[in-house]
Amino acid sequence: MAFDDIPKIALIEDDEIVRQATSQWLQLAGFDVASFCSGLEGQAAILSQDFDAIVSDVRLPDTDGLLILETLTSNQIRTPIILITGHGDVDMAVSALQKGAFDFIEKPFLPERLSERVKEAVETYRAQASTQVRHEYLASVSGLEEVLIGRSRAMQQLREQIAKLARMDTNVIIYGETGSGKELVATSLHNESRRYAHHFVPINCGAIPESLFESELFGHEAGAFTGASKKRIGKLEYADKGTLFLDEIESMPLPMQVKVLRSLQEHTVERVGGNKQIAIDLRVIAAAKEDLNDHEEFRQDLYYRLNVGQIYLPPLREREDDALILFEHFAVQSNPDYRPLSSADRKAIQTYAWPGNVRELRNVAIRFALDDAISVMEILSTRPSSTTEETQTGVPLVIQLHNFERKVLHDSLVRHQGHISEVMLELDLPRRTLNQKMQKFGLNRADYTYTNRSK
């Protein structure tokens, strides 16, 4: 739901001096005020126009504020109303609040108190309205939209592109940052294609030691090498008639690129230790974090074989308000009765850069839903997180410092391929301090041993 930047307030007050003074004060506080001297006139305007909050005197010549409240409630108008009177008592206040009034203020009152309560009413109303729209959206989605959730234009275009490429049955390269959902997109391409009834076979090229790559992709015959006690079907053969997903393909060793290219060109595979050419019919979807055409260690001929279709997956920070939708989706999945987000929580979700993208957001949402004593900001300020090169505008300093320190450690581990002694020397850190920081930021030496790749 889109709102104007300046909140619109309806003010109903029959006393001209009080009405003018209150209107001027609210305008100075940053509100757009529509004033009405008649209760019925104000009520008619509220029933026909959109307001963010209502301020109304209780005693009016032609009606009263409590009756206006009842009328709005019966018409299912949830705009918060603050009632003001010089004749109120405890019973009237209790009755007003029980009937749904946001607050009840007695005259005389400090203008600052009124403007503060109006601000809180506007924030509450906008948050509830936006939440309702998001809930209605999540309840109504189906098909591809149920898997790739988001109302932003970028996500709409992505779903349209997937639907088109799925029908074409061509090889595809998916570009996107870590955690942005590349495997989910690849799975969707498979499920929407004619190959949906056959295997979807994912393999992370960056997680396989080079010595095991050939056997993993092509399989082996019994006795092909020490320890090969029985025949093993490789990933390419297993994906026959289905889809092979090569994640982090930029990490594939050059010798394997040659073998994969030949298999794709000839539509055959030969197991390690075997002589038989086995026919395969598969679709290849590759994923990378950088443009393979500019990658010095990636073969151009394999690039052209794979680069028939391209999908650029937008990072979460470029997807408008999708972060809130996804946050609530993951929170509800984890705990259907999780507590509502506060205004501070919503602001943290919307302003944070989410360097870890949807994967990071999902983790934070689950932690929030399972712990009633922690806020979103507290989670973000203490969690180990990756970061982008740019300064994260609107992100608290404590989060930026955490992200920067983690990136320095991560980059050093990449440069030295997990050799702790070299990292200690470069960063001038004692072994114990380095271990503590690696544990704090969730950095595991084993993740850097075989490849020199970005997380």
Side-chain angles (χ1 to χ4, degrees), residues 211-225:
S211 60
L212 301 178
F213 224 107
E214 187 173 14
S215 176
E216 188 72 19
L217 284 179
F218 296 91
H220 59 255
E221 299 290 354
F225 50 83

PDB file of all heavy atoms in Angstrom, residues 211-225:
ATOM      1  N   SER A 211      40.552 -32.887  -7.174  1.00  0.00           N
ATOM      2  CA  SER A 211      40.877 -34.301  -7.374  1.00  0.00           C
ATOM      3  C   SER A 211      39.627 -35.171  -7.473  1.00  0.00           C
ATOM      4  O   SER A 211      39.689 -36.289  -8.001  1.00  0.00           O
ATOM      5  CB  SER A 211      41.755 -34.800  -6.225  1.00  0.00           C
ATOM      6  OG  SER A 211      41.079 -34.647  -4.977  1.00  0.00           O
ATOM      7  N   LEU A 212      38.502 -34.692  -6.983  1.00  0.00           N
ATOM      8  CA  LEU A 212      37.271 -35.484  -7.007  1.00  0.00           C
ATOM      9  C   LEU A 212      36.289 -35.028  -8.080  1.00  0.00           C
ATOM     10  O   LEU A 212      35.236 -35.634  -8.260  1.00  0.00           O
ATOM     11  CB  LEU A 212      36.576 -35.411  -5.635  1.00  0.00           C
ATOM     12  CG  LEU A 212      37.377 -35.908  -4.433  1.00  0.00           C
ATOM     13  CD1 LEU A 212      36.565 -35.727  -3.147  1.00  0.00           C
ATOM     14  CD2 LEU A 212      37.763 -37.372  -4.614  1.00  0.00           C
ATOM     15  N   PHE A 213      36.662 -33.971  -8.799  1.00  0.00           N
ATOM     16  CA  PHE A 213      35.710 -33.350  -9.721  1.00  0.00           C
ATOM     17  C   PHE A 213      35.269 -34.303 -10.833  1.00  0.00           C
ATOM     18  O   PHE A 213      34.081 -34.441 -11.125  1.00  0.00           O
ATOM     19  CB  PHE A 213      36.335 -32.094 -10.343  1.00  0.00           C
ATOM     20  CG  PHE A 213      35.408 -30.927 -10.390  1.00  0.00           C
ATOM     21  CD1 PHE A 213      35.571 -29.847  -9.544  1.00  0.00           C
ATOM     22  CD2 PHE A 213      34.343 -30.910 -11.275  1.00  0.00           C
ATOM     23  CE1 PHE A 213      34.709 -28.767  -9.582  1.00  0.00           C
ATOM     24  CE2 PHE A 213      33.478 -29.837 -11.318  1.00  0.00           C
ATOM     25  CZ  PHE A 213      33.661 -28.765 -10.468  1.00  0.00           C
ATOM     26  N   GLU A 214      36.226 -34.972 -11.450  1.00  0.00           N
ATOM     27  CA  GLU A 214      35.903 -35.820 -12.597  1.00  0.00           C
ATOM     28  C   GLU A 214      34.965 -36.950 -12.200  1.00  0.00           C
ATOM     29  O   GLU A 214      33.980 -37.231 -12.887  1.00  0.00           O
ATOM     30  CB  GLU A 214      37.170 -36.375 -13.233  1.00  0.00           C
ATOM     31  CG  GLU A 214      36.903 -37.129 -14.526  1.00  0.00           C
ATOM     32  CD  GLU A 214      38.180 -37.537 -15.231  1.00  0.00           C
ATOM     33  OE1 GLU A 214      39.265 -37.473 -14.600  1.00  0.00           O
ATOM     34  OE2 GLU A 214      38.110 -37.918 -16.413  1.00  0.00           O
ATOM     35  N   SER A 215      35.263 -37.601 -11.083  1.00  0.00           N
ATOM     36  CA  SER A 215      34.415 -38.704 -10.629  1.00  0.00           C
ATOM     37  C   SER A 215      33.024 -38.216 -10.253  1.00  0.00           C
ATOM     38  O   SER A 215      32.013 -38.882 -10.514  1.00  0.00           O
ATOM     39  CB  SER A 215      35.071 -39.396  -9.431  1.00  0.00           C
ATOM     40  OG  SER A 215      34.231 -40.406  -8.918  1.00  0.00           O
ATOM     41  N   GLU A 216      32.955 -37.032  -9.658  1.00  0.00           N
ATOM     42  CA  GLU A 216      31.665 -36.487  -9.246  1.00  0.00           C
ATOM     43  C   GLU A 216      30.774 -36.199 -10.451  1.00  0.00           C
ATOM     44  O   GLU A 216      29.574 -36.485 -10.444  1.00  0.00           O
ATOM     45  CB  GLU A 216      31.885 -35.202  -8.427  1.00  0.00           C
ATOM     46  CG  GLU A 216      30.637 -34.638  -7.786  1.00  0.00           C
ATOM     47  CD  GLU A 216      30.148 -35.459  -6.611  1.00  0.00           C
ATOM     48  OE1 GLU A 216      30.931 -36.245  -6.056  1.00  0.00           O
ATOM     49  OE2 GLU A 216      28.953 -35.309  -6.253  1.00  0.00           O
ATOM     50  N   LEU A 217      31.344 -35.627 -11.490  1.00  0.00           N
ATOM     51  CA  LEU A 217      30.549 -35.258 -12.659  1.00  0.00           C
ATOM     52  C   LEU A 217      30.315 -36.431 -13.619  1.00  0.00           C
ATOM     53  O   LEU A 217      29.215 -36.591 -14.147  1.00  0.00           O
ATOM     54  CB  LEU A 217      31.234 -34.121 -13.422  1.00  0.00           C
ATOM     55  CG  LEU A 217      31.140 -32.716 -12.821  1.00  0.00           C
ATOM     56  CD1 LEU A 217      31.892 -31.728 -13.697  1.00  0.00           C
ATOM     57  CD2 LEU A 217      29.708 -32.277 -12.649  1.00  0.00           C
ATOM     58  N   PHE A 218      31.361 -37.245 -13.834  1.00  0.00           N
ATOM     59  CA  PHE A 218      31.265 -38.272 -14.870  1.00  0.00           C
ATOM     60  C   PHE A 218      31.058 -39.683 -14.326  1.00  0.00           C
ATOM     61  O   PHE A 218      30.749 -40.601 -15.086  1.00  0.00           O
ATOM     62  CB  PHE A 218      32.526 -38.241 -15.744  1.00  0.00           C
ATOM     63  CG  PHE A 218      32.687 -36.964 -16.499  1.00  0.00           C
ATOM     64  CD1 PHE A 218      33.401 -35.904 -15.963  1.00  0.00           C
ATOM     65  CD2 PHE A 218      32.088 -36.790 -17.741  1.00  0.00           C
ATOM     66  CE1 PHE A 218      33.535 -34.708 -16.650  1.00  0.00           C
ATOM     67  CE2 PHE A 218      32.225 -35.604 -18.437  1.00  0.00           C
ATOM     68  CZ  PHE A 218      32.943 -34.555 -17.892  1.00  0.00           C
ATOM     69  N   GLY A 219      31.215 -39.861 -13.000  1.00  0.00           N
ATOM     70  CA  GLY A 219      31.091 -41.190 -12.431  1.00  0.00           C
ATOM     71  C   GLY A 219      32.327 -42.028 -12.706  1.00  0.00           C
ATOM     72  O   GLY A 219      33.288 -41.567 -13.331  1.00  0.00           O
ATOM     73  N   HIS A 220      32.327 -43.266 -12.238  1.00  0.00           N
ATOM     74  CA  HIS A 220      33.475 -44.142 -12.487  1.00  0.00           C
ATOM     75  C   HIS A 220      33.033 -45.594 -12.491  1.00  0.00           C
ATOM     76  O   HIS A 220      31.992 -45.958 -11.935  1.00  0.00           O
ATOM     77  CB  HIS A 220      34.576 -43.922 -11.440  1.00  0.00           C
ATOM     78  CG  HIS A 220      34.122 -44.180 -10.026  1.00  0.00           C
ATOM     79  ND1 HIS A 220      33.858 -43.159  -9.129  1.00  0.00           N
ATOM     80  CD2 HIS A 220      33.882 -45.343  -9.351  1.00  0.00           C
ATOM     81  CE1 HIS A 220      33.474 -43.671  -7.975  1.00  0.00           C
ATOM     82  NE2 HIS A 220      33.486 -44.998  -8.079  1.00  0.00           N
ATOM     83  N   GLU A 221      33.850 -46.415 -13.130  1.00  0.00           N
ATOM     84  CA  GLU A 221      33.635 -47.850 -13.147  1.00  0.00           C
ATOM     85  C   GLU A 221      34.311 -48.466 -11.921  1.00  0.00           C
ATOM     86  O   GLU A 221      35.235 -47.873 -11.339  1.00  0.00           O
ATOM     87  CB  GLU A 221      34.221 -48.470 -14.428  1.00  0.00           C
ATOM     88  CG  GLU A 221      33.605 -47.957 -15.715  1.00  0.00           C
ATOM     89  CD  GLU A 221      32.176 -48.431 -15.924  1.00  0.00           C
ATOM     90  OE1 GLU A 221      31.689 -49.255 -15.110  1.00  0.00           O
ATOM     91  OE2 GLU A 221      31.535 -47.985 -16.895  1.00  0.00           O
ATOM     92  N   ALA A 222      33.857 -49.652 -11.546  1.00  0.00           N
ATOM     93  CA  ALA A 222      34.486 -50.365 -10.434  1.00  0.00           C
ATOM     94  C   ALA A 222      35.951 -50.629 -10.758  1.00  0.00           C
ATOM     95  O   ALA A 222      36.291 -51.055 -11.865  1.00  0.00           O
ATOM     96  CB  ALA A 222      33.748 -51.675 -10.170  1.00  0.00           C
ATOM     97  N   GLY A 223      36.828 -50.318  -9.797  1.00  0.00           N
ATOM     98  CA  GLY A 223      38.260 -50.541  -9.997  1.00  0.00           C
ATOM     99  C   GLY A 223      38.962 -49.459 -10.772  1.00  0.00           C
ATOM    100  O   GLY A 223      40.144 -49.598 -11.109  1.00  0.00           O
ATOM    101  N   ALA A 224      38.283 -48.366 -11.070  1.00  0.00           N
ATOM    102  CA  ALA A 224      38.901 -47.291 -11.860  1.00  0.00           C
ATOM    103  C   ALA A 224      40.079 -46.654 -11.133  1.00  0.00           C
ATOM    104  O   ALA A 224      41.027 -46.186 -11.767  1.00  0.00           O
ATOM    105  CB  ALA A 224      37.862 -46.224 -12.203  1.00  0.00           C
ATOM    106  N   PHE A 225      40.039 -46.628  -9.816  1.00  0.00           N
ATOM    107  CA  PHE A 225      41.136 -46.090  -9.013  1.00  0.00           C
ATOM    108  C   PHE A 225      41.027 -46.682  -7.619  1.00  0.00           C
ATOM    109  O   PHE A 225      40.038 -47.345  -7.284  1.00  0.00           O
ATOM    110  CB  PHE A 225      41.102 -44.555  -8.974  1.00  0.00           C
ATOM    111  CG  PHE A 225      39.756 -43.986  -8.603  1.00  0.00           C
ATOM    112  CD1 PHE A 225      39.358 -43.867  -7.275  1.00  0.00           C
ATOM    113  CD2 PHE A 225      38.865 -43.569  -9.596  1.00  0.00           C
ATOM    114  CE1 PHE A 225      38.120 -43.338  -6.941  1.00  0.00           C
ATOM    115  CE2 PHE A 225      37.624 -43.039  -9.271  1.00  0.00           C
ATOM    116  CZ  PHE A 225      37.252 -42.928  -7.940  1.00  0.00           C
TER     117      PHE A 225
END
